[in-house]
Amino acid sequence: IDVAMSRAGATLPPTKGYHWEKGAYVEYDGTVDRPDDLIAALNRHLADIVAEDTVVRRLVDPATGSRLIEIAGLTCPCGGTHVHNTGE
């Protein structure tokens, strides 16, 4: 979802996420002037991301030992369970 937000040009910082198959979500801090337009853009970008079938890379931050994932050039903390590629 963060990759789609980035592609849509949204600059709201993510604050909390839950990534289980049933009920996944990410909360962002801030407000959006035209939420319907953002939702439409996110849906388009999410469909593109799935179609791209991009590999999800697993990384470890050498400074902290924290697990990270990288999707389409965007790195974020690993929440545990995730797919091997965006087409899954």
Side-chain angles (χ1 to χ4, degrees):
I1 296 172
D2 289 343
V3 173
M5 286 286 281
S6 177
R7 290 184 182 185
T11 58
L12 303 175
T15 59
K16 180 171 71 169
Y18 180 80
H19 295 79
W20 294 103
E21 185 176 338
K22 295 181 181 181
Y25 70 87
V26 177
E27 291 181 5
Y28 294 88
D29 189 27
T31 58
V32 176
D33 292 332
R34 299 175 66 173
D36 291 340
D37 291 345
L38 178 58
I39 291 168
L42 289 173
N43 282 321
R44 285 192 307 274
H45 290 298
L46 287 167
D48 291 344
I49 291 164
V50 170
E52 290 164 9
D53 201 27
T54 301
V55 171
V56 176
R57 294 184 55 219
R58 293 158 184 81
L59 309 168
V60 175
D61 183 330
T64 65
S66 298
R67 295 179 304 149
L68 307 167
I69 60 168
E70 180 187 81
I71 303 171
L74 182 70
T75 303
C76 63
C78 173
T81 304
H82 48 77
V83 297
H84 293 96
N85 59 66
T86 61
E88 286 185 21

